[in-house]
Amino acid sequence: MMRRSAIQEVGGFVTDSISEDYYTGIRLSAKGYESVYLNETLSAGLAAESMSAHILQRLRWARGTLQGLFIDSNPFIIPGLRLRQRLAHLEGFITWFSILPRLFFIIIPIIYSFFGIEPLAITLQETIYIFLPYYLLQLTTFTWLNQRSRSIILSDVYAVVSCFPLFIAVVKVMFNPFGQGFKVTPKGLFRSKNQYNWRSAFPLIIFLIGTVLSLWITLGINNYLTGNYFSLVVFWNIYNIIIISVALLGLLDIPKPDIYEWLPMQQKVQLTSGEKIIWGTITQLSEVGAEIQLKQFIALDGALTLAIPEVELTLSGKLTYINLKNSSIRVKFESITPHQSRRLIEFLFCRPGQWKYRNTPGEWRSLWLLFRVLFRPVIFLFGSFDKDKRKKREAIF
């Protein structure tokens, strides 16, 4: 949120860059205004819903940030900022160039195996006493500084997924900063089947093949030529194979049969069907319907009235799905007035405590999650939804 009078003072929103909010904030800081971070959820919105959309969003952020090097709101030359502020903004620029060492780390073992250029001359003892403690200390420090907001291992998967398109985007924007306009991240989309992002997967597949060959060659060199059974490059290759494989699996977007978000909850509701009145519990709720667990199953008419006592909200609906096994039903809302829609949205997204802070998994659990994803049978990933679940989802339409 920005004060209107302050925005007017700096000449309005910055439109030179597609990251208008970031550079408007820099102008405000240059005028002496303070930016305050409030660790409280004030609004809810849609985020990128697929890996391809996530990559597209990252590319736009990279272009928007680096465009700042070529405009008047450049934080390194704009008058009014203190040295500490300029150094703080420097990190935001450097982070987009961190893809270069990430690419380097993927390529190094391959270069060693095919060209014999060893990146590190290190023994097993040196690895155990120097490299391993350093790496464990780095993991611990990263977790402590981020207060479980990020995982260095899971972050590495995202970095590998986006490093190739980001590398191309960074090179392009440095030579032609304003050559591409703003493109909105796709959100609220419907997907009836699995979709795979082959465009982003192609370079990863090439490097996965190269890394597997590198591991095979390295093992052969160590075992049969030198008699040395230890090489840091072997473990380096194994790590890269795991990360690239998981990244490739992450490029699969599973079906999304509903454009609306269904939020789990436990909320009492009164149903009226003709002259029948029955109580139940809302287990899932969206802007267009509800899933309700009945206390006891009785025959209901197609038209229903739902009353949620806690928020004094009454809605009309149509029965679309019945599950006799667990006495649950699905109801699609009908003839909702603007007032009812506003109350429903407030109840869905604006209740106190609705959005809770979640810690990311620790590094050991993150590593375990990688192995779970890696060894999960791929046939289940590419298989169709369970028929009962598919019918249940499609029933609301």
Side-chain angles (χ1 to χ4, degrees):
M1 296 187 293
M2 300 180 182
R3 198 179 293 274
R4 182 184 182 91
S5 59
I7 294 177
Q8 291 175 333
E9 183 180 343
V10 299
F13 281 97
V14 175
T15 57
D16 299 333
S17 165
I18 57 177
S19 295
E20 77 292 336
D21 51 353
Y22 176 48
Y23 288 103
T24 302
I26 289 177
R27 279 192 181 179
L28 291 170
S29 297
K31 285 291 184 180
Y33 289 97
E34 291 186 356
S35 300
V36 179
Y37 173 72
L38 181 63
N39 190 19
E40 181 182 348
T41 304
L42 299 179
S43 64
L46 294 176
E49 298 174 351
S50 65
M51 189 58 75
S52 57
H54 169 78
I55 294 173
L56 178 63
Q57 187 179 62
R58 299 283 291 178
L59 295 180
R60 189 179 74 245
W61 289 351
R63 287 195 301 270
T65 302
L66 296 178
Q67 282 174 350
L69 296 173
F70 307 92
I71 64 177
D72 294 336
S73 300
N74 184 333
F76 309 120
I77 62 174
I78 188 172
L81 291 183
R82 297 188 298 273
L83 177 61
R84 184 175 62 179
Q85 292 174 302
R86 298 186 196 277
L87 290 175
H89 288 293
L90 178 63
E91 191 277 335
F93 286 83
I94 292 178
T95 186
W96 299 113
F97 293 96
S98 64
I99 56 172
L100 297 177
R102 192 63 199 83
L103 283 172
F104 193 57
F105 292 148
I106 294 177
I107 297 172
I108 280 178
I110 300 175
I111 293 177
Y112 165 73
S113 300
F114 287 93
F115 300 99
I117 303 175
E118 189 165 2
L120 292 173
I122 187 170
T123 65
L124 177 60
Q125 291 77 12
E126 290 170 338
T127 300
I128 294 175
Y129 290 108
I130 299 175
F131 178 78
L132 187 59
Y134 162 76
Y135 188 70
L136 292 176
L137 181 61
Q138 185 184 43
L139 288 178
T140 305
T141 306
F142 184 92
T143 304
W144 172 61
L145 289 175
N146 286 278
Q147 296 183 357
R148 296 287 298 279
S149 63
R150 295 180 65 192
S151 162
I152 194 171
I153 295 177
L154 296 182
S155 297
D156 204 19
V157 175
Y158 283 99
V160 169
V161 167
S162 58
C163 64
F164 293 99
L166 266 177
F167 173 75
I168 296 173
V170 168
V171 172
K172 283 184 176 180
V173 77
M174 295 307 294
F175 285 97
N176 188 12
F178 306 103
Q180 189 171 352
F182 181 86
K183 190 173 183 181
V184 178
T185 304
K187 298 170 185 174
L189 301 179
F190 167 79
R191 287 192 304 273
S192 60
K193 57 183 180 180
N194 293 308
Q195 294 178 359
Y196 195 77
N197 190 345
W198 288 105
R199 184 175 180 179
S200 298
F202 180 73
L204 292 179
I205 293 173
I206 298 299
F207 276 94
L208 178 62
I209 295 172
T211 305
V212 172
L213 290 175
S214 172
L215 177 62
W216 179 74
I217 293 172
T218 305
L219 289 173
I221 292 174
N222 288 337
N223 291 343
Y224 300 109
L225 297 183
T226 66
N228 180 15
Y229 288 86
F230 170 78
S231 173
L232 183 62
V233 177
V234 171
F235 297 97
W236 202 330
N237 274 316
I238 292 173
Y239 178 80
N240 282 348
I241 289 172
I242 294 173
I243 294 296
I244 295 175
S245 299
V246 175
L248 285 170
L249 291 175
L251 290 171
L252 174 67
D253 297 329
I254 63 174
K256 187 174 182 293
D258 197 339
I259 65 173
Y260 296 97
E261 299 299 321
W262 288 76
L263 303 181
M265 63 174 57
Q266 293 291 317
Q267 186 65 47
K268 296 297 181 183
V269 62
Q270 184 188 67
L271 299 175
T272 303
S273 175
E275 297 182 355
K276 302 173 184 175
I277 298 177
I278 186 172
W279 284 86
T281 302
I282 297 176
T283 55
Q284 289 193 84
L285 185 65
S286 77
E287 298 173 54
V288 294
E291 184 175 281
I292 302 170
Q293 179 75 48
L294 302 178
K295 287 189 174 181
Q296 58 181 9
F297 184 81
I298 62 172
L300 299 171
D301 298 332
L304 299 170
T305 300
L306 296 80
I308 307 175
E310 182 178 322
V311 289
E312 299 180 354
L313 177 62
T314 302
L315 300 167
S316 298
K318 177 183 178 182
L319 186 65
T320 59
Y321 178 82
I322 300 174
N323 190 331
L324 297 176
K325 292 182 180 179
N326 60 4
S327 300
S328 66
I329 62 172
R330 275 218 174 190
V331 178
K332 179 181 179 181
F333 301 141
E334 292 186 333
S335 304
I336 297 181
T337 65
H339 175 71
Q340 289 175 320
S341 178
R342 182 177 181 85
R343 292 293 302 279
L344 178 60
I345 289 174
E346 288 176 350
F347 178 61
L348 267 172
F349 304 113
C350 307
R351 287 179 297 147
Q354 172 67 12
W355 308 107
K356 297 180 179 179
Y357 181 84
R358 294 183 179 180
N359 289 332
T360 58
E363 300 303 338
W364 289 111
R365 177 164 174 77
S366 297
L367 188 61
W368 167 243
L369 289 174
L370 289 189
F371 281 107
R372 282 187 59 188
V373 172
L374 187 61
F375 293 108
R376 181 182 299 170
V378 179
I379 187 172
F380 291 113
L381 289 173
F382 287 93
S384 60
F385 269 175
D386 179 82
K387 291 183 179 180
D388 183 61
K389 291 182 179 179
R390 184 186 295 274
K391 290 179 181 178
K392 182 178 179 181
R393 288 283 188 176
E394 293 178 348
I396 200 160
F397 298 104

